[in-house]
Amino acid sequence: YRDLGRQRGEAASLRDLGKVAKKLNEYEAAGKYHQQSLEIFRDTDDQRGEAASLGDLGNLARKLNKYEAAGKYHQQSLEMFRDIGDQRGEAACLGNLGNVARSVGEYEAARKYHQQSLKISRDLGHRSG
């Protein structure tokens, strides 16, 4: 993708590399890949990609028990998905925010986030959501 000058393809590949690195417990590498993808999506004004990369960074932060950072990334991602009208992305972000709230013992907040996520997923007919 780099050789072809296809930045969005490069950014998507970097996201995938970040996900693989996270699965391999290579968290520093995962963070670098996700940060690179975020920057490219921002540079190319790809809001959906940017929102997804923010979610990836949030999931990584949660895995590393950096809950405040995780919440901030997921909140930014949620706002972007709402701005572009991507309800499936919105539902995923709400679920991620619920996971963060649950991780810090904020069970009532977690329930609210998960209920919102469930409602959107049901309304969309997104059964796995």
Side-chain angles (χ1 to χ4, degrees):
Y1 286 118
R2 285 180 181 154
D3 290 347
L4 296 171
R6 296 187 56 200
Q7 290 180 296
R8 289 182 179 172
E10 179 183 354
S13 293
L14 288 164
R15 275 193 72 212
D16 290 339
L17 285 167
K19 290 176 185 179
V20 170
K22 180 182 166 199
K23 291 283 186 187
L24 294 171
N25 300 324
E26 297 172 359
Y27 302 122
E28 186 176 334
K32 288 179 182 178
Y33 287 130
H34 288 315
Q35 190 61 45
Q36 289 175 43
S37 73
L38 175 64
E39 291 168 12
I40 293 170
F41 283 129
R42 282 183 174 158
D43 288 346
T44 60
D45 198 32
D46 183 332
Q47 292 180 310
R48 183 170 278 110
E50 182 178 348
S53 290
L54 287 165
D56 293 335
L57 285 165
N59 288 332
L60 179 61
R62 181 173 168 261
K63 176 76 174 169
L64 297 173
N65 300 324
K66 297 180 179 181
Y67 301 117
E68 186 176 342
K72 288 179 182 178
Y73 284 126
H74 288 310
Q75 190 61 45
Q76 289 175 46
S77 180
L78 175 63
E79 291 168 13
M80 292 195 79
F81 278 124
R82 284 180 173 164
D83 286 347
I84 62 174
D86 184 329
Q87 290 183 300
R88 202 165 173 171
E90 179 181 352
C93 288
L94 289 164
N96 288 331
L97 283 164
N99 292 337
V100 171
R102 185 185 67 224
S103 294
V104 296
E106 295 176 2
Y107 301 114
E108 219 27 68
R111 179 194 338 234
K112 289 178 184 177
Y113 283 125
H114 286 302
Q115 286 175 333
Q116 291 174 58
S117 176
L118 178 61
K119 181 180 181 338
I120 292 169
S121 294
R122 282 183 173 160
D123 289 349
L124 294 173
H126 183 233
R127 292 182 57 91
S128 64

